[in-house]
Amino acid sequence: MPELDPFTARATLEWLIEMGCDEAIGERPVNRYALPDRQPVPEPPAPPPEVDMPVTADAAQATDAVAEADRRAAAAASLAELHDAILGYPYCDLRLGASSTVFAAGDPSARVMIIGDAPGREEDRAGHPFAGASGALLDRMLAAIGLARDGEGSAGVYLASVLPWRLPSDRAPEPDEMAMMLPFLRRHVELAAPEILVLMGNQPCGAVLGRRGLTRLRGTWTEGFGRPALPMLPPAYLMRNPGAKREAWADLLELAARLDP
């Protein structure tokens, strides 16, 4: 058969399609009536031999990073040493994109320690937890029950974040990021030794309690890091959902009642 030029070949193909020829066939004709009713079932391929999978470099590094975080956190004998240990920890890349390390604010000897979500833009700029408009709302909330971030003793509070660095685009933290920094958070609570933990956000609830779903957890006393813990709605949530302020007020009254001697 003479070779067709591209234009003739295309015109021929279009004509065949119009005639209903929509199935491609081989060069040789096949008598489909002579085919057996059932084609033989091919034998399944033999399973590959079992081999021990090597530990990947990423998995080994993640394990080493958490172990190193445990070692550095345990070696910190004071909050100042813990702060330095976090600054010197090389494995968490969040520190590379953050403007500041958000460690804590308030009175470290206070009875109440409030742990919030990872720092946002305002906290990253200010260098301390609960900054900007949400921080101002938190100050008003605390003042309503006689507490203040700059108060001392029974009138003070201690503020910290679940992570010390802002997440890119304020995304949710990755599991390996939380795992690396959890030993530092646990040691932070041990060194501050508060009577009560207040968990303001889903991230601290996940880190401290191993549970999420703040709207279900809020207002119910539980235990975190061996201490009484009260999940509460953070001020940033209340700014987006003003109707939830009633629940926040109820939680504040619950906290005040627990602190009342």
Side-chain angles (χ1 to χ4, degrees):
M1 180 178 180
E3 184 176 353
L4 298 177
D5 64 86
F7 301 102
T8 304
R10 179 168 180 173
T12 303
L13 178 61
E14 292 176 350
W15 178 79
L16 290 171
I17 294 174
E18 289 180 1
M19 294 297 102
C21 302
D22 56 359
E23 181 179 355
I25 60 175
E27 294 182 354
R28 298 181 179 179
V30 177
N31 185 356
R32 299 185 181 276
Y33 294 101
L35 294 176
D37 293 337
R38 290 179 177 271
Q39 294 291 336
V41 179
E43 293 290 333
E50 293 186 2
V51 295
D52 294 332
M53 296 297 293
V55 178
T56 64
D58 290 343
Q61 183 177 0
T63 301
D64 292 343
V66 174
E68 180 64 12
D70 277 322
R71 187 190 69 78
R72 293 185 182 224
S78 66
L79 290 173
E81 290 183 9
L82 182 66
H83 180 265
D84 292 341
I86 292 174
L87 290 178
Y89 183 70
Y91 293 101
C92 188
D93 290 340
L94 293 176
R95 52 194 272 275
L96 302 177
S99 300
S100 59
T101 298
V102 179
F103 183 68
D107 181 10
S109 64
R111 299 173 64 190
V112 178
M113 181 175 182
I114 301 177
I115 303 176
D117 287 331
R121 180 179 62 182
E122 297 297 333
E123 288 77 16
D124 187 46
R125 288 178 175 176
H128 60 77
F130 296 100
S134 62
L137 176 56
L138 175 63
D139 291 340
R140 295 196 297 272
M141 293 167 62
L142 295 174
I145 57 172
L147 299 177
R149 73 169 73 203
D150 57 354
E152 297 180 356
S154 60
V157 294
Y158 188 51
L159 307 176
S161 298
V162 69
L163 292 175
W165 299 296
R166 184 187 180 187
L167 295 149
S169 302
D170 294 326
R171 62 166 171 79
E174 298 291 340
D176 61 331
E177 294 166 344
M178 295 294 292
M180 282 188 284
M181 303 311 297
L182 185 59
F184 294 107
L185 179 63
R186 184 181 294 108
R187 186 61 176 157
H188 200 161
V189 174
E190 291 174 354
L191 292 171
E195 293 181 23
I196 293 172
L197 288 177
V198 174
L199 308 176
M200 281 193 167
N202 253 325
Q203 294 172 17
C205 285
V208 178
L209 307 178
R211 291 179 289 165
R212 296 175 68 88
L214 184 58
T215 54
R216 298 190 306 272
L217 295 172
R218 58 138 293 270
T220 301
W221 286 98
T222 183
E223 182 176 300
F225 293 162
R227 289 171 169 78
L230 181 65
M232 289 182 59
L233 299 172
Y237 179 90
L238 299 177
M239 293 173 64
R240 299 190 302 269
N241 303 274
K245 290 183 178 181
R246 174 179 296 182
E247 287 82 0
W249 176 239
D251 296 343
L252 286 170
L253 293 179
E254 183 68 26
L255 175 62
R258 188 72 175 245
L259 291 170
D260 190 18

